Amino acid sequence: MRMNNRIKEQYAQIASALQLRFDEEYEAIHGNYGGYPVLIVPSSSGSNVYYYMPKICIAAESALGPLSKEDCKAYKKEHAYVSSLSQSGRLVTLVVKNQRKAERLMEAIGTELRNLISYLHSRGFQPCCQVCGQPVPAEAYFVSGGFLQMCEECRVSLNQRMAVQMNRDRSKPENVIGGVVGAALGSLLGAASIILLSQLGYVAALSGLVMAICTLKGYELLSGKLSRLGIVVSCVLMVAMTYVGDRIDWALVVARDVGMGFASAFGYIPTLVNIGMIEASTYWANLLLVYLFVILGAVPTILGVLRNRRDEGKISRLS
Ligand SMILES: [Zn+2]
């Protein structure tokens, strides 16, 4: 999740209007409001609308029991800006309806936050730690891809458990041979898609994406994890197999047009490019385009893996 600067500014404004804090790195508004630990983040449903659908999350528990479906439905009906209200465990989540104008969005969040707090109060909800349920001060944390509002004690014990788990994962052996086989199979699929799509007359470039993703996923699937070595092996295979796939694609065309055997056509491709039988600019432009798409597919996948590894076992207190 990455907000654009305009939306970031809006969130920062909303936070300061509500006297809450805005964590720029994790793009979350958090703090204490009316005695309750509050977290406001974009809903996780895709598209551009995404950032305009903030959800308000409050860690609280009531002796009267959790909110029922009927309670939530009735609440939504009574409140104009509410898209949905739900409770899962000790977390009450309210999604604010899409507001196109920044001022309206701020107004909606402010209004619905106040309404929700007074509703929770009237229903006997006590602020608590989302993990253990103790009525102690809870702070917002980012833990392996999600947010948690928890107490200090829970943070310490979660930290310990994650450290143990991480050690276990790290010592899990990587099946390098399996990974290489997986990457090779993936890159074969990629090469096949380069040939097939191109022969069918589609833009071969898109198959660059297929190549990148199949190769990396192939390694990960059969080795158990995508390590640095796996990334290097996959990249080498991608580069090589993209070239091979593209050359086979040309050889098929030459074999068909000139009536030459496929194997000799494959061998002659560089010569044909050199003597201008295949226009060099067309040949290289086409190949570069496919490589460009291989990069477009590979880079986000690799960055995602590296980012996960960085966040793995890390509990970050929102600032
Ligand atoms: Zn706790």
Side-chain angles (χ1 to χ4, degrees), residues 86-225:
S86 60
Q87 181 177 2
S88 161
R90 298 183 186 93
L91 194 68
V92 177
T93 302
L94 183 147
V95 179
V96 178
K97 268 189 194 154
N98 189 12
Q99 307 294 329
R100 281 214 298 205
K101 291 223 168 88
E103 308 88 72
R104 289 288 294 277
L105 182 72
M106 287 176 75
E107 188 194 323
I109 293 179
T111 306
E112 292 311 339
L113 178 58
R114 277 186 291 274
N115 287 343
L116 181 61
I117 298 276
S118 67
Y119 175 71
L120 291 179
H121 203 75
S122 72
R123 285 280 315 242
F125 274 86
Q126 298 288 332
C128 69
C129 162
Q130 192 184 334
V131 178
C132 67
Q134 295 293 316
V136 289
E139 292 210 54
Y141 294 90
F142 188 80
V143 186
S144 44
F147 295 99
L148 268 182
Q149 290 160 290
M150 61 184 163
C151 69
E152 180 61 17
E153 211 170 295
C154 285
R155 184 195 63 83
V156 172
S157 78
L158 187 61
N159 234 351
Q160 286 164 348
R161 261 182 296 154
M162 285 173 80
V164 171
Q165 183 61 41
M166 208 167 66
N167 275 334
R168 214 174 285 156
D169 288 351
R170 289 256 159 99
S171 58
K172 190 173 83 179
E174 177 189 8
N175 182 350
V176 177
I177 295 175
V180 173
V181 171
L185 289 174
S187 69
L188 276 177
L189 259 174
S193 87
I194 289 177
I195 299 161
L196 201 71
L197 285 179
S198 164
Q199 294 291 320
L200 289 174
Y202 293 106
V203 188
L206 290 178
S207 44
L209 289 176
V210 178
M211 169 67 82
I213 292 162
C214 285
T215 309
L216 288 163
K217 290 289 162 198
Y219 189 97
E220 191 178 15
L221 216 63
L222 295 196
S223 79
K225 60 182 169 189

Side-chain angles (χ1 to χ4, degrees), residues 11 26-29 39-43 53-57 147:
Y11 266 66
Y26 294 102
E27 301 176 338
I29 297 172
L39 177 79
I40 304 174
V41 289
S43 317
M53 299 271 285
K55 57 177 181 182
I56 302 173
C57 308
F147 295 99

